[in-house]
Amino acid sequence: MGQEIHTIIIGGGPAGLAAAIRLGRHHRVLILEKEAECGGKLNQWDKLFPDFEDAKTVRQTLLQRLPENVTVQTSANVTEVAQESGKWKVTLQNGETHIAPTLLLATGFEPFNAIRKEEYGYGIYPNVITSVELESMIAKGEILTREGKKPQSVAYIQCVGSRDEKVGNHFCSVNCCICAVKQSIEVKQLLPQANQFCFYMDLRMSGRNYEERYRESQEKYHVNFIRGRVSETSVTANNQILVKAEDTLLSRPIKMKVDLLVLMVGMEPSPSTRQFAEKLGISDPYGYFVSQNSETADNATVHKGLFVAGSAKRPMPVPQALKEGEAAACEIAGYLSDNL
């Protein structure tokens, strides 16, 4: 940069970009993004809930709003973070180092690996896919089975990898319910004749217009929501998926065949989040960052000059991650005002 960096941000996803936009108005900021381009999971998503806004447009808008004070360095793999002489030193894989009085960790999440839920058949049966893979199909405007046919029946399983003692994740991933509603609407728009079934524990629609979209998915798009746990799946001779479950509202077992089974995978801390959380002693039992105080200092940490934001702290949808980044920027600006 040629001048002193005031804040280093590790992670160029929604939270990191939002923080840089706010901070860059008055401070010099360096974003270190490990991937080839910024945007985080916005790069893997097509539309966002509840307004079906284009994810790529949101990403492009954030990038266009970055002030001149912000420098972005992509393909920057951070290997070491340490506090030295009251400042934060960040070392990259290529040996390059950067130093700043404040550091924001916005290292995000990764989707749960559905292979760990063997009973659902992911990686075993050809027509069991994840919500991430379905999103890619929706973006291309073509939903097909592995045999190249348009599915006439689609089922969704909620809470895959979340609220699950067997995999050690007791927390709710927040996004799975809204993702199922969004994707089921989009699938119906692309496949008007397809029957859809969503198996859920309970549905958590807590945001603005969330409940309305849920009702719309039932009343307009005729998605069938079934309260119950899927116990196991198997494959038929023609590669349909046989789903065995229990309808807990009607207290009766269910068995159905579907052409496509979609696992609504939850969120887990990214490898970088786990790495830094453990090294810096700010990890919760699952590997997410722990803030100094969830009520009064939710973006600060126990370390002076170290801040956290976004889904590296806990599961959250994109709008909340953006607000998280702005909130972190405000805390960092206050810190810099008092300490520069």
Side-chain angles (χ1 to χ4, degrees), residues 299-312:
N299 295 107
T301 69
V302 294
H303 301 293
K304 190 176 181 181
L306 179 66
F307 300 84
V308 293
S311 54

Side-chain angles (χ1 to χ4, degrees), residues 178-199:
I178 61 178
C179 182
V181 170
K182 182 191 85 76
Q183 290 188 335
S184 64
I185 290 174
E186 292 172 310
V187 168
K188 193 66 173 180
Q189 290 172 341
L190 291 170
L191 302 171
Q193 304 305 315
N195 295 313
Q196 297 189 89
F197 308 89
C198 181
F199 292 91

Side-chain angles (χ1 to χ4, degrees), residues 134-174:
L134 178 60
E135 189 73 13
S136 179
M137 292 183 184
I138 292 170
K140 295 174 183 176
E142 189 172 49
I143 302 170
L144 301 173
T145 65
R146 292 294 174 88
E147 297 76 35
K149 299 178 180 178
K150 293 182 179 181
Q152 297 301 303
S153 53
V154 181
Y156 306 84
I157 300 180
Q158 291 281 28
C159 300
V160 177
S162 302
R163 305 172 68 190
D164 188 337
E165 294 185 8
K166 291 182 179 180
V167 299
N169 291 339
H170 297 179
F171 58 87
C172 171
S173 283
V174 179

Side-chain angles (χ1 to χ4, degrees), residues 115-129:
I115 289 178
R116 291 162 59 187
K117 293 294 292 180
E118 187 176 344
E119 63 267 35
Y120 295 152
Y122 182 74
I124 303 172
Y125 308 138
N127 288 313
V128 179
I129 65 173

Side-chain angles (χ1 to χ4, degrees), residues 12-198:
L17 290 174
I21 291 169
R22 179 74 64 174
L23 272 173
R25 296 173 183 173
H26 304 289
H27 301 282
R28 288 180 290 278
V29 178
L30 172 63
I31 298 176
L32 298 175
E33 168 55 49
K34 67 178 180 179
E35 302 297 340
E37 57 182 0
C38 287
K41 296 301 184 291
L42 288 175
N43 295 323
Q44 300 177 9
W45 227 244
D46 181 44
K47 297 290 193 302
L48 302 178
F49 191 86
D51 298 325
F52 295 89
E53 187 159 358
D54 185 79
K56 293 180 179 60
T57 300
V58 173
R59 171 187 174 275
Q60 193 60 34
T61 299
L62 293 171
L63 292 175
Q64 290 173 348
R65 289 179 179 175
L66 288 174
E68 292 184 1
N69 276 337
V70 177
T71 297
V72 178
Q73 187 171 338
T74 56
S75 300
N77 188 12
V78 177
T79 58
E80 187 73 23
V81 170
Q83 192 172 31
E84 296 183 1
S85 303
K87 293 189 175 182
W88 288 93
K89 179 180 179 181
V90 175
T91 304
L92 305 184
Q93 191 173 38
N94 62 5
E96 182 181 327
T97 61
H98 298 280
I99 298 175
T102 60
L103 173 64
L104 173 62
L105 298 175
T107 44
F109 75 97
E110 65 177 4
F112 175 80
N113 186 351
I115 289 178
R116 291 162 59 187
K117 293 294 292 180
E118 187 176 344
E119 63 267 35
Y120 295 152
Y122 182 74
I124 303 172
Y125 308 138
N127 288 313
V128 179
I129 65 173
T130 68
S131 47
V132 178
E133 293 166 327
L134 178 60
E135 189 73 13
S136 179
M137 292 183 184
I138 292 170
K140 295 174 183 176
E142 189 172 49
I143 302 170
L144 301 173
T145 65
R146 292 294 174 88
E147 297 76 35
K149 299 178 180 178
K150 293 182 179 181
Q152 297 301 303
S153 53
V154 181
Y156 306 84
I157 300 180
Q158 291 281 28
C159 300
V160 177
S162 302
R163 305 172 68 190
D164 188 337
E165 294 185 8
K166 291 182 179 180
V167 299
N169 291 339
H170 297 179
F171 58 87
C172 171
S173 283
V174 179
N175 288 278
C176 310
C177 291
I178 61 178
C179 182
V181 170
K182 182 191 85 76
Q183 290 188 335
S184 64
I185 290 174
E186 292 172 310
V187 168
K188 193 66 173 180
Q189 290 172 341
L190 291 170
L191 302 171
Q193 304 305 315
N195 295 313
Q196 297 189 89
F197 308 89
C198 181

